[in-house]
């Protein structure tokens, strides 16, 4: 418990500073988190005997982050294409020259690392840099991208927090076999509060209309718990409890960012599509 509290005391102010600051410090911090998450994934896979290729999986993940930080989303597809080709070629080389067996499993793990970690994490700086115009909210000036990221962060927090407390107090029906402690009652509460928090910030802060705000709220309410369940089944597949110990007392990066890396891309593309 002491480690959890100490990590929160240190981590929350740092997170607030980085999100508020934006720019290079924020991108650098998210890149470090992404690399730590990639390492966590690779170590989980290695525990079951599966290789995650560094040159053709980790390097493209880093390139995706660099492209996102520079706002060059047009580089995403070429990076992904050459990563896929590189992974398949490296797998073929290892199979033919190094005697590596289970070619399909090693290449699949490497592809999964690029898509699940590299691609999804790269949308965090994209959302933070979504528009530079100043927005006044609660008598505080925010950049549009800053308030957009806060919207998803707070919506995701509401989803996790209220699902936990309502599940503890009222939960009677198990939600999913991959996460036995989660309940239907908690999921409903988390869904409702995620919609309320996200939608309110979208409506009042971003000035989005009622229906776009509702859609953004629904997207966070749906994708945040789905991200959590996906990481749960991933850990269960690799037979581990936590993805790592990057945050003492809280687990690994994937444990803490599983909901966010699903909710952020969904919100980003909805905002792009609706021109919010």
């Amino acid at each position: 418990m002491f480690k959890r509290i100490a990590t929160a005391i240190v981590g929350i102010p740092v997170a607030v500073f980085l999100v508020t600051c934006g720019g290079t410090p924020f991108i650098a911090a998210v890149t470090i988190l992404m690399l730590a998450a990639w390492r966590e994934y690779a170590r989980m896979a290695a525990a079951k005997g599966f290789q995650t290729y560094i040159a053709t999986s980790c390097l493209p993940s880093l390139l995706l982050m660099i492209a996102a930080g520079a706002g060059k989303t047009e580089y995403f597809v070429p990076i992904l294409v050459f990563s896929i080709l590189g992974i398949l070629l490296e797998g073929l080389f290892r199979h033919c020259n190094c005697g590596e067996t289970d070619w399909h499993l090693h290449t699949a793990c490497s592809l999964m690392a690029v898509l699940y970690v590299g691609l999804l994490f790269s949308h965090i700086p994209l959302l933070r840099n979504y528009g530079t115009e100043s927005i006044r909210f609660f008598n505080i000036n925010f950049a549009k991208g800053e308030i957009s990221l806060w919207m998803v962060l707070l919506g995701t927090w509401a989803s996790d927090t209220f699902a936990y407390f309502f599940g503890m107090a009222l939960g009677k029906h198990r939600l999913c076999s991959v996460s036995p402690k989660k309940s239907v009652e908690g999921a409903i509460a988390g869904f409702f509060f995620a919609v309320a928090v996200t939608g309110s910030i979208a409506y009042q802060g971003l000035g989005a209309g009622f229906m776009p705000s509702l859609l953004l709220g629904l997207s966070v309410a749906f994708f945040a718990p789905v991200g959590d369940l996906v990481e749960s089944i991933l850990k269960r597949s690799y037979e581990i409890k936590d993805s790592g110990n990057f945050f003492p007392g809280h687990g690994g990066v994937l444990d803490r960012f599983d909901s966010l890396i699903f909710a952020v891309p969904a919100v980003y593309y909805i905002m792009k599509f609706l021109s919010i």
Side-chain angles (χ1 to χ4, degrees):
M1 180 59 72
F2 174 77
K3 285 184 178 181
R4 290 181 65 89
I5 295 173
T7 301
I9 290 174
V10 175
I12 291 175
V14 171
V16 170
F17 169 77
L18 289 170
V19 174
T20 302
C21 180
T24 302
F26 178 78
I27 295 169
V30 177
T31 301
I32 291 171
L33 290 172
M34 184 279 296
L35 291 173
W38 189 94
R39 182 172 178 269
E40 288 175 2
Y41 179 88
R43 292 185 69 177
M44 286 192 291
K48 297 291 285 186
F50 306 138
Q51 294 294 320
T52 308
Y53 304 148
I54 296 176
T56 54
S57 177
C58 185
L59 179 58
S61 297
L62 179 60
L63 292 176
L64 286 170
M65 288 296 301
I66 294 172
K72 301 293 185 179
T73 55
E74 64 271 21
Y75 292 165
F76 275 20
V77 171
I79 291 171
L80 289 172
V81 168
F82 280 103
S83 175
I84 293 169
L85 294 175
I87 287 169
L88 296 177
L89 286 172
E90 182 173 355
L92 181 63
F93 176 84
R94 286 168 174 263
H95 179 75
C96 294
N97 296 279
C98 304
E100 186 176 82
T101 58
D102 295 325
W103 176 88
H104 59 297
L105 296 177
H106 302 306
T107 55
C109 280
S110 301
L111 288 169
M112 177 71 170
V114 176
L115 298 175
Y116 179 60
V117 179
L119 183 60
L120 295 186
F121 261 92
S122 67
H123 285 79
I124 297 177
L126 282 181
L127 187 62
R128 175 57 182 85
N129 295 333
Y130 189 89
T132 57
E133 58 266 38
S134 180
I135 295 175
R136 195 160 183 83
F137 186 51
F138 284 117
N139 292 320
I140 302 174
N141 290 324
F142 295 90
K144 186 175 184 180
E146 180 187 355
I147 198 170
S148 299
L149 183 55
W150 278 122
M151 174 183 69
V152 182
L153 285 168
L154 293 174
T156 301
W157 174 83
S159 173
D160 292 342
T161 302
F162 286 100
Y164 174 78
F165 284 110
F166 273 80
M168 289 287 290
L170 304 174
K172 294 181 179 179
H173 301 88
R174 191 170 68 174
L175 176 66
C176 183
S177 61
V178 299
S179 190
K181 293 183 180 180
K182 290 181 172 59
S183 67
V184 173
E185 293 81 2
I188 292 173
F191 188 92
F192 173 81
F193 281 99
V195 172
V197 171
T198 307
S200 296
I201 297 175
Y203 188 78
Q204 297 291 337
L206 292 176
F210 175 78
M211 290 305 297
S213 298
L214 178 61
L215 182 58
L216 289 171
L218 290 171
S219 68
V220 172
F222 176 77
F223 283 104
V226 167
D228 183 68
L229 290 173
V230 166
E231 206 244 350
S232 293
I233 196 171
L234 184 67
K235 290 188 295 185
R236 181 169 290 238
S237 298
Y238 290 129
E239 299 178 352
I240 62 168
K241 180 181 179 182
D242 295 319
S243 64
N245 57 0
F246 190 89
F247 300 105
H250 291 263
V253 175
L254 289 175
D255 294 320
R256 295 298 92 200
F257 284 78
D258 52 3
S259 298
L260 192 66
I261 60 174
F262 269 58
V264 163
V267 165
Y268 174 78
Y269 288 112
I270 288 173
M271 290 180 66
K272 291 277 287 186
F273 180 76
L274 297 179
S275 299
I276 296 175

